[in-house]
């Protein structure tokens, strides 16, 4: 199973999302071809109601602790309640460019 699929499965089980998108952005970073190490997660769930962004991220980090201790190097997290998501009109900011330098030998 791909790391992206593992992340999706765990987040679906933990957050019952109204919307979930997990994008493997490893190709945008200075990593070997085929790496699954950098992901963008857009997660819309009413479980975030009343939670500050820091706690939302902690909730996700706890859910994905095994992946973060292993192959996953970075997560770009975009977390919203259903009401917040509706206010954004389904718009998500793009991830920043990688700041890593050099090339993989």
């Amino acid at each position: 199973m791909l790391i992206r699929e593992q992340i999706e499965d765990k987040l679906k089980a933990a957050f019952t999302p109204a919307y979930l998108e997990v994008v493997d952005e490893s190709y945008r970073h200075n990593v070997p071809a085929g790496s699954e190490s950098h992901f963008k997660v857009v997660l819309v769930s009413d479980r975030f109601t009343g939670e500050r962004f820091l706690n939302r991220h902690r909730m996700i980090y706890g859910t994905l602790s095994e992946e973060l201790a292993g192959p996953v190097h970075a997560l770009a997290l975009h977390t919203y309640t259903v009401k917040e998501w509706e206010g954004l009109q389904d718009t998500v900011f793009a991830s920043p460019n990688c700041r890593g330098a050099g090339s993989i030998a």
Side-chain angles (χ1 to χ4, degrees):
M1 177 182 289
L2 297 172
I3 300 298
R4 181 187 52 78
E5 292 170 340
Q6 291 175 358
I7 291 170
E8 286 175 351
D9 289 349
K10 285 186 174 186
L11 294 177
K12 284 178 184 176
F15 295 95
T16 316
Y19 179 82
L20 174 63
E21 181 179 16
V22 179
V23 179
D24 183 351
E25 295 186 327
S26 301
Y27 70 93
R28 298 181 64 205
H29 299 273
N30 189 20
V31 296
S35 293
E36 287 186 280
S37 57
H38 294 69
F39 293 89
K40 176 169 78 174
V41 174
V42 180
L43 180 56
V44 180
S45 174
D46 279 330
R47 290 239 5 247
F48 296 140
T49 301
E51 298 289 348
R52 294 181 180 203
F53 285 107
L54 180 60
N55 197 45
R56 295 175 188 189
H57 292 195
R58 286 178 178 156
M59 293 164 68
I60 292 171
Y61 296 150
T63 301
L64 301 177
S65 61
E66 187 176 321
E67 289 75 12
L68 290 166
V72 177
H73 173 73
L75 287 174
L77 298 176
H78 303 271
T79 57
Y80 308 99
T81 65
V82 172
K83 185 175 180 179
E84 291 167 344
W85 182 246
E86 290 169 354
L88 289 173
Q89 299 178 355
D90 300 338
T91 302
V92 176
F93 299 105
S95 296
N97 290 327
C98 180
R99 292 185 185 209
S103 61
I104 299 297

